[in-house]
Amino acid sequence: MMRRAELLAELKSENEAWERLLAQIGEDRMDEPGAAGAWSIKDVVAHLTAWRRRTVGRLEAAAHGQPEPASPWPADLHEDDEINAWFHARDADKPVREVLSESRRIFQQLAAAIEEFPEAALDDPGRFPWMQGTPVSGAAFFAHFHDEHEADMRAYLSRQPARS
């Protein structure tokens, strides 16, 4: 069973590691293409933030016993690749600082949404059907980053070491 304090501590630890990685890369290089295919680090951050915003909406709705909110993308988009392309086009012109600020704000909303849950509800897998049985943990909320983007970001950093 995952207690709220433990979950929030895990989440904080995951976020601190994320912020350390971003600091190693540096804001001045986040617009450079090629970090993940043609995407820049900024593009990856905006992408992760877009999906996290959806998670926050789901958590807030579940905390209040409301139905899952509608997806933010157009209803005719169904595949992850086309949804990701829509997010990318929407966020492409945002400045790095705005993308980072939004990422940090959405993370705070994630933590606040978890705070709203009754402790026992955090252990009920039925409350989070979109997690498909994955236990609630800090790592679960960062799983997409770890599974799909962390290696690319770290490889980019190793190819482009921090400037002195």
Side-chain angles (χ1 to χ4, degrees):
M1 290 194 350
M2 175 65 68
R3 300 290 96 201
R4 182 189 347 272
E6 184 182 351
L7 174 57
L8 290 170
E10 276 188 22
L11 199 58
K12 180 181 178 192
S13 177
E14 287 281 348
N15 193 61
E16 287 169 349
W18 164 251
E19 289 291 339
R20 280 192 302 275
L21 177 59
L22 293 178
Q24 287 178 310
I25 293 166
E27 285 184 34
D28 60 326
R29 297 184 305 156
M30 290 187 184
D31 268 332
E32 296 172 6
W39 281 13
S40 67
I41 295 295
K42 180 194 86 163
D43 295 332
V44 173
V45 173
H47 160 80
L48 292 169
T49 300
W51 286 104
R52 181 166 293 150
R53 182 181 295 110
R54 180 178 189 221
T55 299
V56 168
R58 288 171 153 178
L59 285 169
E60 290 171 342
H64 296 102
Q66 298 172 345
E68 186 174 321
S71 300
W73 54 83
D76 63 327
L77 301 181
H78 303 286
E79 301 298 321
D80 286 349
D81 287 344
E82 60 190 2
I83 295 165
N84 289 335
W86 183 83
F87 282 145
H88 184 262
R90 181 194 67 186
D91 297 332
D93 293 331
K94 289 181 181 177
V96 169
R97 286 186 184 230
E98 181 180 337
V99 168
L100 291 172
S101 176
E102 189 172 351
S103 172
R104 291 171 181 135
R105 182 175 37 77
I106 295 299
F107 175 80
Q108 292 304 317
Q109 289 176 356
L110 174 63
I114 290 168
E115 286 279 1
E116 290 184 34
F117 267 89
E119 188 113 15
L122 293 171
D123 295 324
D124 176 7
R127 294 292 294 260
F128 311 101
W130 65 89
M131 294 186 71
Q132 301 172 339
T134 301
V136 174
S137 69
F141 288 113
F142 277 80
H144 181 72
F145 161 65
H146 291 305
D147 295 346
E148 301 292 330
H149 301 290
E150 183 175 18
D152 287 337
M153 291 175 73
R154 292 195 184 281
Y156 170 80
L157 183 59
S158 71
R159 291 189 311 269
Q160 307 290 333
R163 297 176 188 140
S164 304

